[in-house]
């Protein structure tokens, strides 16, 4: 049985006149017929850039938003019509600082939310102790949350979402804004939860995170699922291509368009890292294309040049 079943799910937002430059009204299609399923006990990743439809999907599945069309089932329940019963069986953890009381301790936060979730009094203390151990906050639970790092707060968010022992856990970009150490610690926590048998749906735009954690992923863009499979399967689809990374100082749009116009270049992306840019060029021609690519940079200073196989 699938823990999550999504069929042709759609969601349209109405945009008012005041939010548009010329005053006209139009609709924004956040989801355009999304379909996927998640078996029980699987860690499933929903990947995509900001604005792709990830959070809209997860809000519908967690009863916080009504769909415009299509169907969704979580543990066999309809989130739109059976929300009361479903909320008792799922957990929702989102990225960011909201959702915790900063002026009290982590222990006091968990005690409060345990009462909100109606965790029985006879099991509350044991449950909180177990979760503090799981998320690595044992020994720090009596400190005020306002003294916590972002990584510690995110781990406390996860503990809060697990208080009522949900069957399905939804994680909406849980590592957003974390430093590399905090993100790694949080990924270790999530991996441990999945190993314990939890069904987890993770949304993220970090490919490394998905590659490391997820058993299966669906890539969403502009409200549509554009690819689905295991990380290994998705990477195999791109093995005919190689990626050439060129570090340069002062890359502009003109250079990028020159690179894209070269025959054999499939895609060009640019990422700024401190004072330099790393330009990634996808091509089936591999390193043989490097001299032609370098010509397009003109007088721009070029640093390292690396050819590698594609990652997720």
């Amino acid at each position: 049985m699938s823990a999550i079943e999504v069929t042709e799910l759609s969601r349209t937002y109405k945009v008012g006149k005041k939010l548009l430059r010329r005053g006209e009204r139009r609709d924004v299609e956040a989801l355009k017929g999304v379909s996927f399923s998640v078996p029980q006990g699987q860690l499933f990743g929903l990947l995509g850039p900001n604005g792709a439809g990830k959070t809209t999907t997860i809000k519908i599945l967690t009863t916080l938003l009504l769909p415009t069309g299509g169907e969704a089932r979580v543990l066999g329940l309809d989130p739109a019509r059976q929300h009361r019963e479903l909320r008792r069986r799922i957990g929702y953890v989102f990225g960011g600082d909201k959702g915790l009381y900063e002026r009290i301790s982590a222990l006091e936060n968990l005690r409060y939310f345990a009462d909100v979730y109606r965790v029985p009094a006879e099991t509350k203390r044991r449950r909180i102790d177990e979760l503090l151990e799981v998320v690595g906050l044992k020994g720090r639970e009596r400190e005020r949350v306002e003294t916590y790092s972002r990584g510690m707060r995110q781990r406390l968010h996860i503990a809060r979402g697990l208080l009522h022992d949900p069957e399905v856990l939804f994680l909406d970009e849980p590592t957003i804004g974390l430093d590399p150490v905090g993100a790694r610690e949080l990924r270790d926590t999530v991996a441990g939860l999945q190993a314990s048998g939890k069904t987890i749906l993770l949304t993220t735009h970090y490919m490394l995170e998905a590659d490391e954690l997820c058993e299966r992923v669906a890539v969403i863009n502009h409200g549509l699922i554009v690819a689905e499979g295991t990380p290994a399967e998705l990477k195999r689809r791109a093995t005919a291509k190689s990626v050439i990374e060129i570090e340069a100082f002062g890359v502009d749009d003109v250079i990028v368009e020159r690179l894209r116009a070269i025959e054999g270049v499939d895609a060009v992306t640019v990422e700024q890292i401190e004072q330099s840019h790393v330009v990634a060029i996808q091509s089936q021609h591999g390193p043989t294309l490097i001299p032609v690519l370098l010509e397009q940079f003109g007088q721009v200073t070029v640093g390292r040049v690396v050819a590698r196989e594609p990652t997720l």
Side-chain angles (χ1 to χ4, degrees):
M1 174 182 173
S2 294
I4 302 171
E5 193 74 43
V6 175
T7 306
E8 293 296 320
L9 199 64
S10 64
R11 170 69 192 194
T12 301
Y13 292 98
K14 302 286 185 179
V15 178
K17 292 181 180 180
K18 293 182 180 180
L19 299 179
L20 299 174
R21 292 181 179 178
R22 295 190 297 273
E24 76 272 16
R25 294 183 65 86
R26 64 181 175 86
D27 296 337
V28 175
E29 289 185 280
L31 300 178
K32 305 173 184 177
V34 169
S35 299
F36 63 87
S37 64
V38 182
Q40 289 184 347
Q42 187 176 87
L43 201 166
F44 184 88
L46 189 60
L47 315 184
N50 293 330
K54 304 186 302 296
T55 297
T56 296
T57 301
I58 211 168
K59 283 187 174 180
I60 290 174
L61 296 176
T62 55
T63 79
L64 300 178
L65 193 65
L66 293 174
T68 305
E71 293 184 353
R73 292 288 186 275
V74 180
L75 299 170
L77 301 174
D78 183 342
R81 296 182 176 87
Q82 298 169 291
H83 55 278
R84 291 183 182 275
E85 182 179 353
L86 182 57
R87 285 175 182 175
R88 291 194 292 266
R89 300 175 62 184
I90 62 174
Y92 177 32
V93 177
F94 47 88
D97 293 328
K98 296 180 180 180
L100 298 170
Y101 293 99
E102 294 194 349
R103 295 186 180 181
I104 61 176
S105 70
L107 182 58
E108 290 168 321
N109 266 276
L110 293 178
R111 285 172 176 169
Y112 169 75
F113 284 110
D115 291 337
V116 171
Y117 291 138
R118 298 181 180 178
V119 177
E122 62 272 16
T123 62
K124 179 168 66 174
R125 182 174 179 177
R126 175 178 55 80
R127 183 68 181 156
I128 290 174
D129 285 343
E130 289 174 351
L131 290 174
L132 287 170
E133 193 72 45
V134 167
V135 300
L137 293 177
K138 193 68 173 175
R140 307 287 301 272
E141 69 270 19
R142 297 188 182 276
E143 299 174 20
R144 288 188 178 186
V145 172
E146 64 187 357
T147 68
Y148 277 14
S149 68
R150 292 197 68 170
M152 292 170 69
R153 294 182 191 206
Q154 281 302 93
R155 284 183 275 152
L156 183 57
H157 270 301
I158 290 180
R160 186 209 63 199
L162 291 168
L163 278 167
H164 56 307
D165 196 20
E167 299 169 58
V168 178
L169 183 63
F170 294 89
L171 303 177
D172 191 10
E173 300 194 4
T175 60
I176 190 168
L178 297 186
D179 59 69
V181 174
R184 185 181 67 245
E185 291 174 348
L186 195 65
R187 287 196 295 270
D188 290 342
T189 301
V190 173
L193 292 174
Q194 193 275 332
S196 70
K198 291 290 183 189
T199 301
I200 301 174
L201 191 152
L202 168 74
T203 72
T204 183
H205 58 263
Y206 297 137
M207 298 297 102
L208 172 64
E209 192 166 271
D211 205 353
E212 179 180 334
L213 291 175
C214 298
E215 297 173 82
R216 193 169 183 83
V217 298
V219 181
I220 185 171
N221 195 28
H222 299 297
L224 293 168
I225 299 294
V226 296
E228 185 176 352
T230 67
E233 288 171 347
L234 294 181
K235 284 185 283 188
R236 278 198 295 270
R237 298 179 192 178
T239 52
K241 300 178 183 180
S242 61
V243 179
I244 299 164
E245 290 185 350
I246 300 175
E247 181 185 27
F249 300 83
V251 176
D252 57 22
D253 293 339
V254 174
I255 293 175
V256 173
E257 290 307 315
R258 287 176 185 166
L259 293 170
R260 287 175 175 156
I262 296 173
E263 185 177 355
V265 169
D266 297 313
V268 178
T269 59
V270 181
E271 181 181 3
Q272 185 168 358
I273 301 177
E274 296 181 352
Q275 302 301 316
S276 66
H277 293 83
V278 175
V279 184
I281 301 105
Q282 297 180 34
S283 172
Q284 296 184 9
H285 297 298
T288 60
L289 203 60
I290 289 177
V292 179
L293 297 174
L294 292 177
E295 289 177 3
Q296 313 309 314
F297 287 83
Q299 301 301 312
V300 171
T301 302
V302 174
R304 66 181 179 87
V305 180
V306 178
R308 61 170 175 79
E309 295 300 313
T311 63
L312 182 57

